[in-house]
Amino acid sequence: MEGDTVVSEVASTLLGVENLSVTLENGRPIVQDVSFTLAAGETFGLVGESGSGKTTTALALLGFARPGMRIVSGDVEIRGERVALHDEGAARQLRGRLVSHVPQDPATNLNPALRISESIADVYKAHRGSEGADGAVRRALERVHLPVTSDFLRRFPHQLSGGQQQRVLIACALVCEPALLVLDEPTTGLDVVTQAHILQEIEHLHRERDLAMIYVSHDLAVISQIAERVSVMYGGVLVEEGPTREVLTRPRHPYTLGLARSIPTHTVLHRRLHGIPGVAVGGVQTGCPFEPRCEQRVARCGVEAPPLERVGASVVRCFESHRTPPLGVTDQIAIGQRANGAPVLSVEDLLAVHQHQGRTVVAANSVSFTVGVGECVALVGESGSGKTTIARTIAGLHKPAGGRIVLAGEELAASARDRPRALRRRCQIIFQNPFESLNPTRRVIDEVMRPAFTLRGLSSSQGREEAGELLSRVRLPDRLAERYPAELSGGERQRVAIARALIAQPDLLVCDEITSALDVSVQAAVIELLVELREELGLSLLFITHNLGVVASIADRVLILNRGEICEEGVVDDVFVTPRNPYTIELLEAAPSLHIAAQ
Amino acid sequence: MRIFRFARTGRGKAGIIVLGFVLGVALIGPLVAPYDPAALVSAPDLTPSRAFPLGTDALGRDVLSRVLWGGRSVVWLALAATVGAFAIGTAIGLVAGYSRSLVDPVLMRTVDVILSFPPLLFFLIVATSVGTSELTLIVGIAIVLAPGIARIVYSATRETSVRGFVEAAVARGESTSAILRREILPNILDSIIANFGLTVTFSVLLVAAVNFLGLGLQPPAANWALMISENRDAIAINVWATVAPAAMIAALTVGVNLLGDAVSHTLGRSDIGAPAITRVEGT
């Protein structure tokens, strides 16, 4: 049995990658010694967080290295043909015909000045000449289920939705009928429902054409839905590879385990997430790249690079993989106190609009909800649902067109400036993008202590002292206090933003998509921190997000926002188990889940 | 201080040397000048000799002494006018860029009107109505140069005022002046400094042009720009009387620009150069 599978695998090998290494021009390694094979018609997932080298690996399969990088060694063979790794002209001969690439962001990867048909035909002409381009464009559009009407062919990218743009990009990749498709985060940045449609499309292509695919993503849950085999990368090294089910249910590498434990899933409620301690370091150093963050490291991990070893059905690059504990059932978060007494925040009949080129766009329409003392309420919606506008209105940054916002029994003025200091102090907002929310010219400690002065009137020395305490409370090492934001990672910056909110001693924290710009393991650590702070300080949270998994983990109650209106609200345990509104049902069905895939 | 990192770059070093030389001549020159710059010491239009290394001018004054004396007023007028222009322009740009009321269009349209006015015509009007003095020269040049700076500061302010850290400051109720001073100004400083060099150049050229036309300082004051104007008729006889002051003006503008480029370059790079992981998810 075992022998048979190996033989048939070798016989139908489509892609073979051996000892692929990519470095920066200065010699710093980005990807080191990556090897794997892919059978015809197989879907292979390549998972990793920022800086893991997954995109670089994927591009190297096309013989391409991004500016500033160089493929230094390795062998890539597709259907018996060697991909030229150093000769751009020769590599071009293979692209389109043997292998093609679907990039991440359709909004920036489609030329806005070209019509859809031109964009797709360009790819065909580049590889096959202009003859037969028309028919090929139509066939490619059909395969991704886009209308093949002349009206649609003449459209420009901005006239399409995000999902349609992504389909056009896939059509570009398919137009020369390659044997292998490399998809680089094709659904990142799309709404969950659209993402589910695109994934179905990819699944469909896979089954219909027996097309081999490499799916690159940071999202293990998405990969688990479509890939048969998965490979996990960390710090430029392939650390674990195996059948998807095996890797998810019984991770053998401590990093894979950490990743699995940090991914929130909406099918398991109130699960405590565990982040991976420390910060990912790009590039390969001596020994195992995960060594500085690993909980089961031994002395030689720091000096010797572990080889790939077969463990069960997977191969793992770890000396101590036999010690990796099973995934197990992780502990539950105690459900916060149910709202009792007067709520901290009550929003009544809120109407918020945007003026856009003379038109009025309604962002929030008769939105009413409350947040109780010590409660965590999640406001869930897709992009454009108005959730950020609601947060900004509560923070006094956007003037509402109607309705009332009552904080701690007092009605709030529309503009933050007109609110009394005590009320401004009670409600603090944390923004989505940690790369934008800290003043780049101010040191961390000064940034954190500022609200202590503005909102509480503390002296500079008192503020500095409290800021220092808060920085250690959000688990930032002391040495970061005197640094500038540019020297911090995304997760660290978001912790600084949390500390800056906490120093005001607020009753309510409004968190606007605060983890969406972070890697999953970092997201888990930030959520972990918020859960702890809630338990310690009795904070109330209004948690705004599009990620249902995060909601399931952290929230007590949930509000589902659709086109500016709340379409369903209730306790998380009810809404997630027995959703009533069709939109909620659609959202829950579309959200990828590790848990379901593992079953 | 990261602002001083420019001194390590090649451009920064060259700028320091060139500008140091010009400023040295302007400041120390009068102390070492062999003759009184206004004294008629010899026959007119002599070519360089041992006694007069750069010859004499049309009136028989020592060119070297006049070059050594003539920098002070050029440097001082140009720098004062530039600083004035930046003070006015930055204030207008910041207030107009941050304000979301009527203040913005009122200020910026005024700026546009001034921008559309030919600078020399403006001086002619000022000089004929108020008369010429150092003060009118400085204020006049500052007013002419301020609109360009206001435009740059305005757009930089607009961009910065929607960033998260400014919104955070608004949400905690910081005063407008605190937001402009603490949050916005430090973050647009690199685009302001990048324009400093260019503005000094314009300012020097304006000082020179105004003096050349006789609207600024009056003879017999020693001034590089004035010297070019006085000696241009005799350029075939003693070329040094024109070339020496012209070269000094050129060196001043080149030096300031090298320095300005170096400073803004190192400031602009500071965000990228930091050893941090600044990638957003999935990139």
Side-chain angles (χ1 to χ4, degrees):
Chain A
M1 272 296 286
E2 186 86 32
D4 284 350
T5 19
V6 170
V7 169
S8 67
E9 254 182 48
V10 170
S12 61
T13 295
L14 173 82
L15 166 75
V17 180
E18 251 174 80
N19 307 104
L20 182 72
S21 294
V22 183
T23 65
L24 290 182
E25 293 289 3
N26 63 19
R28 216 184 100 182
I30 297 298
V31 168
Q32 202 164 55
D33 227 4
V34 166
S35 307
F36 60 90
T37 60
L38 185 64
E42 198 180 11
T43 306
F44 186 75
L46 205 52
V47 185
E49 297 184 284
S50 330
S52 63
K54 57 185 190 303
T55 296
T56 309
T57 305
L59 289 172
L61 301 183
L62 291 95
F64 181 77
R66 280 180 285 187
M69 293 187 189
R70 218 151 41 90
I71 302 174
V72 285
S73 65
D75 233 340
V76 177
E77 251 184 48
I78 306 173
R79 214 196 262 151
E81 289 190 58
R82 280 187 68 175
V83 177
L85 297 178
H86 310 289
D87 182 355
E88 178 66 19
R92 254 180 210 206
Q93 301 301 316
L94 304 181
R95 292 181 200 151
R97 177 165 62 88
L98 272 186
V99 53
S100 53
H101 177 244
V102 178
Q104 177 175 0
D105 185 2
T108 54
N109 279 300
L110 282 172
N111 184 340
L114 290 187
R115 297 177 194 279
I116 300 309
S117 56
E118 295 170 322
S119 281
I120 305 174
D122 268 1
V123 180
Y124 187 86
K125 288 174 186 163
H127 297 293
R128 300 223 168 149
S130 46
E131 210 167 302
D134 238 29
V137 168
R138 283 165 191 272
R139 277 197 304 281
L141 282 175
E142 264 167 26
R143 283 173 73 181
V144 293
H145 296 108
L146 284 172
V148 193
T149 58
S150 54
D151 165 60
F152 189 83
L153 286 167
R154 288 181 52 77
R155 283 201 200 164
F156 288 101
H158 72 268
Q159 293 169 307
L160 307 185
S161 70
Q164 285 176 320
Q165 289 176 347
Q166 190 60 60
R167 278 164 209 252
V168 170
L169 279 183
I170 297 176
C172 287
L174 288 175
V175 72
C176 295
E177 317 220 350
L180 173 68
L181 203 57
V182 177
L183 300 122
D184 188 2
E185 304 253 14
T187 63
T188 306
L190 297 178
D191 285 329
V192 266
V193 176
T194 321
Q195 165 172 290
H197 290 161
I198 295 287
L199 288 180
Q200 266 172 20
E201 205 68 70
I202 292 169
E203 184 93 57
H204 184 79
L205 279 173
H206 170 56
R207 248 185 274 125
E208 174 200 35
R209 285 295 180 118
D210 238 20
L211 187 65
M213 288 192 256
I214 294 195
Y215 194 102
V216 180
S217 178
H218 68 282
D219 194 337
L220 203 49
V222 167
I223 288 221
S224 72
Q225 295 197 325
I226 60 164
E228 289 140 15
R229 273 195 310 139
V230 61
S231 159
V232 181
M233 289 193 72
Y234 184 84
V237 172
L238 199 153
V239 294
E240 179 163 1
E241 190 215 307
T244 308
R245 249 207 79 166
E246 178 74 12
V247 172
L248 293 183
T249 49
R250 186 65 180 94
R252 304 286 177 168
H253 195 280
Y255 174 67
T256 318
L257 178 74
L259 208 54
R261 289 180 17 158
S262 62
I263 294 174
T265 175
H266 65 280
T267 50
V268 186
L269 302 179
H270 312 299
R271 186 177 73 125
R272 198 177 279 274
L273 303 174
H274 294 272
I276 304 174
V279 180
V281 186
V284 191
Q285 47 267 53
T286 52
C288 171
F290 191 58
E291 187 261 345
R293 298 171 78 186
C294 186
E295 279 169 3
Q296 57 194 46
R297 61 170 173 260
V298 291
R300 66 168 169 167
C301 294
V303 277
E304 223 180 301
L308 271 179
E309 280 170 8
R310 183 161 283 277
V311 181
S314 312
V315 283
V316 183
R317 205 184 276 281
C318 178
F319 290 125
E320 298 289 309
S321 62
H322 58 276
R323 277 169 56 210
T324 309
L327 189 51
V329 188
T330 32
D331 39 345
Q332 299 273 302
I333 297 169
I335 299 174
Q337 311 102 291
R338 285 288 150 72
N340 43 18
V344 180
L345 174 80
S346 92
V347 174
E348 294 162 24
D349 221 16
L350 183 72
L351 175 68
V353 297
H354 289 286
Q355 300 294 339
H356 184 69
Q357 294 174 347
R359 283 184 307 131
T360 304
V361 181
V362 177
N365 191 9
S366 63
V367 167
S368 302
F369 64 90
T370 60
V371 179
V373 176
E375 200 183 19
C376 174
V377 176
L379 187 58
V380 177
E382 307 205 305
S383 52
S385 63
K387 54 190 194 302
T388 291
T389 309
I390 295 175
R392 289 170 50 83
T393 312
I394 294 169
L397 295 170
H398 185 94
K399 206 173 169 213
R404 287 179 1 125
I405 302 172
V406 180
L407 183 71
E410 287 181 69
E411 185 170 346
L412 289 180
S415 149
R417 184 155 303 159
D418 303 331
R419 296 175 182 175
R421 190 163 89 169
L423 281 181
R424 286 201 308 261
R425 182 185 65 74
R426 279 163 178 267
C427 166
Q428 292 293 310
I429 184 166
I430 304 169
F431 295 95
Q432 170 173 10
N433 189 346
F435 298 92
E436 280 283 294
S437 66
L438 303 178
N439 189 332
T441 55
R442 214 180 303 156
R443 289 174 202 276
V444 164
I445 188 87
D446 297 323
E447 183 76 30
V448 173
M449 63 187 267
R450 181 67 183 174
F453 167 76
T454 347
L455 296 173
R456 287 169 58 206
L458 292 193
S459 73
S460 160
S461 61
Q462 281 171 311
R464 186 168 288 271
E465 196 175 308
E466 270 197 41
E469 282 165 23
L470 275 168
L471 285 178
S472 56
R473 178 154 227 166
V474 298
R475 318 256 180 296
L476 283 176
D478 287 342
R479 63 191 157 79
L480 294 187
E482 298 296 327
R483 301 260 176 99
Y484 288 98
E487 300 167 66
L488 269 54
S489 72
E492 287 168 342
R493 291 185 201 200
Q494 205 57 294
R495 283 166 196 269
V496 174
I498 292 172
R500 184 180 64 184
L502 289 178
I503 202 166
Q505 300 186 332
D507 300 333
L508 174 72
L509 269 190
V510 178
C511 306
D512 183 13
E513 291 268 23
I514 61 168
T515 61
S516 63
L518 306 175
D519 272 323
V520 260
S521 66
V522 180
Q523 160 174 291
V526 169
I527 301 270
E528 216 180 335
L529 171 69
L530 278 182
V531 169
E532 281 171 24
L533 289 172
R534 237 187 106 195
E535 285 164 356
E536 286 168 24
L537 307 173
L539 278 177
S540 312
L541 294 181
L542 177 60
F543 200 87
I544 294 166
T545 183
H546 69 282
N547 188 330
L548 294 171
V550 171
V551 175
S553 168
I554 196 177
D556 303 317
R557 270 194 312 128
V558 60
L559 312 156
I560 311 281
L561 198 64
N562 183 17
R563 291 162 196 268
E565 289 180 27
I566 292 177
C567 65
E568 181 156 4
E569 74 167 292
V571 179
V572 170
D573 305 68
D574 294 339
V575 175
F576 277 41
V577 178
T578 52
R580 296 213 173 84
N581 188 285
Y583 178 73
T584 316
I585 296 171
E586 194 185 0
L587 269 187
L588 284 168
E589 277 176 355
S593 161
L594 260 190
H595 184 67
I596 292 173
Q599 278 176 344
Chain B
M1 269 299 272
R2 57 178 197 166
I3 202 162
F4 292 122
R5 259 184 301 180
F6 70 88
R8 273 180 255 152
T9 63
R11 240 185 282 187
K13 282 178 189 150
I16 291 174
I17 292 169
V18 175
L19 193 62
F21 169 70
V22 178
L23 292 183
V25 169
L27 287 176
I28 304 166
L31 306 179
V32 297
Y35 302 98
D36 179 344
L40 310 177
V41 289
S42 172
D45 294 333
L46 290 182
T47 50
S49 63
R50 190 171 288 263
F52 308 107
L54 292 175
T56 56
D57 70 1
L59 295 177
R61 295 172 296 196
D62 178 35
V63 172
L64 177 65
S65 301
R66 287 181 68 75
V67 167
L68 289 173
W69 274 95
R72 261 187 194 179
S73 60
V74 172
V75 170
W76 138 249
L77 287 175
L79 283 181
T82 307
V83 169
F86 270 93
I88 303 169
T90 305
I92 293 177
L94 270 177
V95 171
Y98 183 69
S99 132
R100 278 160 205 169
S101 62
L102 212 61
V103 177
D104 167 5
V106 167
L107 281 178
M108 291 320 286
R109 292 303 81 78
T110 313
V111 160
D112 290 344
V113 169
I114 301 179
L115 259 181
S116 62
F117 220 74
L120 285 178
L121 190 62
F122 179 81
F123 278 116
L124 280 174
I125 296 168
V126 171
T128 45
S129 57
V130 193
T132 57
S133 73
E134 284 197 351
L135 188 67
T136 45
L137 209 57
I138 291 168
V139 173
I141 293 175
I143 291 174
V144 166
L145 292 177
I149 297 154
R151 281 234 142 262
I152 290 157
V153 174
Y154 174 77
S155 58
T157 305
R158 296 276 300 211
E159 253 167 55
T160 308
S161 62
V162 294
R163 291 177 67 180
F165 57 89
V166 181
E167 300 231 289
V170 175
R172 66 175 178 255
E174 300 268 3
S175 68
T176 304
S177 84
I179 289 172
L180 292 179
R181 203 162 28 82
R182 297 177 53 93
E183 312 290 340
I184 296 179
L185 190 59
N187 287 296
I188 61 172
L189 215 53
D190 54 345
S191 50
I192 295 180
I193 291 174
N195 284 285
F196 193 83
L198 209 58
T199 311
V200 170
T201 310
F202 279 135
S203 175
V204 168
L205 295 179
L206 272 174
V207 170
V210 170
N211 284 337
F212 180 86
L213 291 177
L215 297 172
L217 298 177
Q218 300 302 322
N223 175 286
W224 291 338
L226 214 51
M227 286 173 70
I228 301 172
S229 137
E230 287 165 354
N231 296 311
R232 66 186 199 282
D233 294 332
I235 196 161
I237 308 166
N238 180 14
V239 70
W240 294 105
T242 337
V243 168
M248 292 308 288
I249 290 178
L252 174 60
T253 59
V254 168
V256 168
N257 273 299
L258 281 172
L259 215 56
D261 274 4
V263 172
S264 66
H265 209 67
T266 45
L267 269 186
R269 214 165 44 189
S270 59
D271 270 2
I272 310 158
I277 305 144
T278 44
R279 272 170 299 218
V280 182
E281 179 71 286
T283 54

